[in-house]
Amino acid sequence: MKQKTDEEILKGILERDNAIFNYIYENLYNQVKYMIVSNSGSDEEAQDVFQEALIVIYNKLVNKELELYCTFKTYLYSVSRLMWLKQLEKKKYKSEEIYDENMTDLRVDDKNILDQIETNERFRLYQKYFKQLNEDCRKVLELFINKVPLREIAEIMGYSSEKYAKKRKYICKEILINNIQKDPKYKELQK
Amino acid sequence: MKIIIEKIEKYLEGELQSEQKEFEALLDKDEDLKKLVALNREIDAAIAQKEVMALRTQLEKIADKYQKHKPIVRKLSTNKLTWIATAAAITAFAVSFLIFQGNNSNQQIFDTYYSSFQNFETVRGLPASSSAYNEGIASFKQNEYNKAIRSFENILLLEPDNNLVRLYSAMAYLETDNTNNAIEHLNIIIESQDVFYLEHAQWYLGLAYIKSGKTSDAKRILENIVNNDSFYASEAKKVLKKL
């Protein structure tokens, strides 16, 4: 496979290009997996961390907040490592106990990226429950978020009135909030 | 709870009118209410991340493929690998020979860009027939597409508006080379203008047309995707260049 430049990779991530993500998994996943599996993690946890690290990077790119001062490989590794450290902390491990031969090569703005990792964790939980809502609820909330005029929302959804469209939104939001708050992870993420 | 959520929503939309000041005073004192308002704001921001949700599904699929294939290769002996490599080389040669012989490049484009849609997390949102749905999805995941089609078609008899199932059904038809059936299902989804599946249906319809050699229909759909800047716009642009 042809070697991709960091610029090509970042552009591909921003465009959600399948070929680039395949390239990333093929070439960069094993190193991250090794770091996690040799530090009390499972294959599934490694996969999860790697995926969410890519989502954090995607969000940084979308918000034009990503400036690379190292190679993309190092950056992705560093973000994944920070994510895993956070998870280990929750499991009551101490960061000094983490075995990592690549540790000296980290160049990530820790505070900023940690904030983003935490936001991403919360958003992921909200999105999980949003996707589990019934179709009608998902659709109506999405239309409101996209600021579609109330009259159009009522029309698209086949509701009898604009007033009912609003009512439906409140009901759906309430279901969503209830489900989120019931998840033990929600409380954990509040700490 | 319902009244609180309604008030918070109205507050965030600036629609509380005379009660606005009263609510703000309450907000100053009540930490729980403050948290609930913040949660509401964050949820709105999270829901707006449609692309992130789609990207997560996309990455899950790539990771699945990657995890699935790796161990199999590791378990094979060198001898077997040599055989497989030889067989693969012969197949690749035969396929490329066929492709360049005829006007089969459409199939090549289809194979490059096609990947079946997976969004298993919506299961809970489905009504009574969800056990049939689960069966269909399980068959689909095990590449037993004909079995999956039977489950999906049974659901569609009872729930013709279930576009998620219709989309999966179309995917299964594409996997079994029943392209005309796939096209029919995808067109029904598009006609329903279902915002959740419309963009997926358009993209797969474009690919289905390519697969069946209906290049001008494919171009029309793909141009539409690009012009509407839909989720698959960048992929559609790439395909259009190859057509």
Side-chain angles (χ1 to χ4, degrees), chain A residues 132-191:
Chain A
Q132 285 179 0
L133 284 175
N134 67 48
E135 201 177 314
D136 186 82
C137 271
R138 287 200 315 265
K139 212 190 278 187
V140 80
L141 288 178
E142 199 165 66
L143 290 168
F144 270 100
I145 291 290
N146 291 334
K147 303 208 180 326
V148 175
L150 202 51
R151 190 173 37 81
E152 268 180 54
I153 295 178
E155 236 175 70
I156 294 169
M157 300 300 294
Y159 296 153
S160 53
S161 65
E162 294 175 22
K163 205 176 159 195
Y164 181 76
K166 280 215 155 179
K167 199 176 159 196
R168 188 81 193 129
K169 177 197 171 193
Y170 301 143
I171 293 169
C172 294
K173 206 52 172 300
E174 194 199 343
I175 298 170
L176 180 56
I177 290 178
N178 271 334
N179 290 344
I180 291 169
Q181 286 180 326
K182 265 190 251 158
D183 191 311
K185 204 164 177 202
Y186 172 70
K187 279 208 178 95
E188 201 183 287
L189 293 173
Q190 298 303 300
K191 285 171 195 165

Side-chain angles (χ1 to χ4, degrees), chain B residues 27-40:
Chain B
L27 201 55
D28 264 348
K29 286 184 284 182
D30 191 335
E31 279 303 311
D32 286 343
L33 183 63
K34 214 180 267 179
K35 272 187 196 160
L36 205 53
V37 171
L39 175 63
N40 222 300

Side-chain angles (χ1 to χ4, degrees), chain A residues 13 15-19 21-22 25-27 29-30 33 43-44 47 50-52 54-55 58-59 119-120 122-124 126-146 156 166-167 169-171 173-174 176-178 180-181 186 190, chain B residues 1-2 5-6 9-10 12-13 15 35-36 39-60 62-67 70 74 113 115 119 121-126 161-164 193-197 230-232 234-235 238:
Chain A
I13 292 177
E15 289 171 357
R16 302 193 302 269
D17 182 341
N18 233 6
F21 286 120
N22 272 309
Y25 272 89
E26 190 68 43
N27 292 283
Y29 175 57
N30 274 343
K33 183 176 157 183
D43 278 11
E44 286 73 28
Q47 197 176 311
F50 193 73
Q51 172 189 299
E52 292 308 307
L54 285 171
I55 301 260
Y58 170 78
N59 273 330
T119 307
N120 182 58
R122 290 198 305 277
F123 277 33
R124 187 186 186 187
Y126 308 153
Q127 287 162 352
K128 174 182 159 190
Y129 284 101
F130 172 69
K131 283 171 93 178
Q132 285 179 0
L133 284 175
N134 67 48
E135 201 177 314
D136 186 82
C137 271
R138 287 200 315 265
K139 212 190 278 187
V140 80
L141 288 178
E142 199 165 66
L143 290 168
F144 270 100
I145 291 290
N146 291 334
I156 294 169
K166 280 215 155 179
K167 199 176 159 196
K169 177 197 171 193
Y170 301 143
I171 293 169
K173 206 52 172 300
E174 194 199 343
L176 180 56
I177 290 178
N178 271 334
I180 291 169
Q181 286 180 326
Y186 172 70
Q190 298 303 300
Chain B
M1 178 79 168
K2 191 180 285 176
I5 299 296
E6 189 171 333
E9 288 281 322
K10 282 186 175 163
L12 292 174
E13 285 159 13
E15 287 177 359
K35 272 187 196 160
L36 205 53
L39 175 63
N40 222 300
R41 276 209 179 97
E42 278 210 324
I43 288 175
D44 283 351
I47 297 173
Q49 288 188 337
K50 200 177 158 193
E51 290 81 9
V52 170
M53 288 187 257
L55 177 59
R56 194 169 279 121
T57 309
Q58 189 182 348
L59 294 179
E60 276 163 11
I62 294 171
D64 261 6
K65 190 175 69 182
Y66 192 67
Q67 294 280 66
K70 285 283 162 178
R74 252 186 269 133
Y113 288 92
S115 61
N119 186 2
E121 284 189 35
T122 51
V123 177
R124 283 199 197 173
L126 291 169
D161 296 331
N162 194 328
N163 283 330
L164 174 65
Q193 289 291 305
D194 182 336
V195 291
F196 280 97
Y197 304 108
S230 101
F231 177 62
Y232 293 97
S234 69
E235 295 282 272
K238 286 180 208 161

Side-chain angles (χ1 to χ4, degrees), chain A residues 16-115:
Chain A
R16 302 193 302 269
D17 182 341
N18 233 6
I20 287 293
F21 286 120
N22 272 309
Y23 176 86
I24 294 172
Y25 272 89
E26 190 68 43
N27 292 283
L28 309 179
Y29 175 57
N30 274 343
Q31 196 189 10
V32 170
K33 183 176 157 183
Y34 180 74
M35 179 264 295
I36 291 173
V37 172
S38 31
N39 285 292
S40 321
S42 65
D43 278 11
E44 286 73 28
E45 283 168 319
Q47 197 176 311
D48 197 65
V49 164
F50 193 73
Q51 172 189 299
E52 292 308 307
L54 285 171
I55 301 260
V56 167
I57 291 172
Y58 170 78
N59 273 330
K60 276 180 90 71
L61 280 167
V62 169
N63 298 325
K64 298 190 171 52
E65 288 170 0
L66 186 76
E67 279 180 67
L68 276 190
Y69 295 108
C70 55
T71 63
F72 174 75
K73 182 182 172 181
T74 305
Y75 190 81
L76 176 61
Y77 184 86
S78 309
V79 176
S80 306
R81 186 180 176 279
L82 278 171
M83 274 187 169
W84 185 236
L85 272 173
K86 249 191 117 273
Q87 293 199 22
L88 284 182
E89 270 168 33
K90 277 183 206 154
K91 290 182 183 180
K92 312 283 177 224
Y93 283 83
K94 287 183 186 138
S95 58
E96 305 89 72
E97 289 169 12
I98 292 183
Y99 163 76
D100 185 359
E101 61 193 25
N102 300 302
M103 224 176 115
T104 48
D105 201 22
L106 302 182
R107 290 186 189 86
V108 167
D109 168 7
D110 283 22
K111 176 72 184 85
N112 181 294
I113 201 80
L114 270 176
D115 285 347

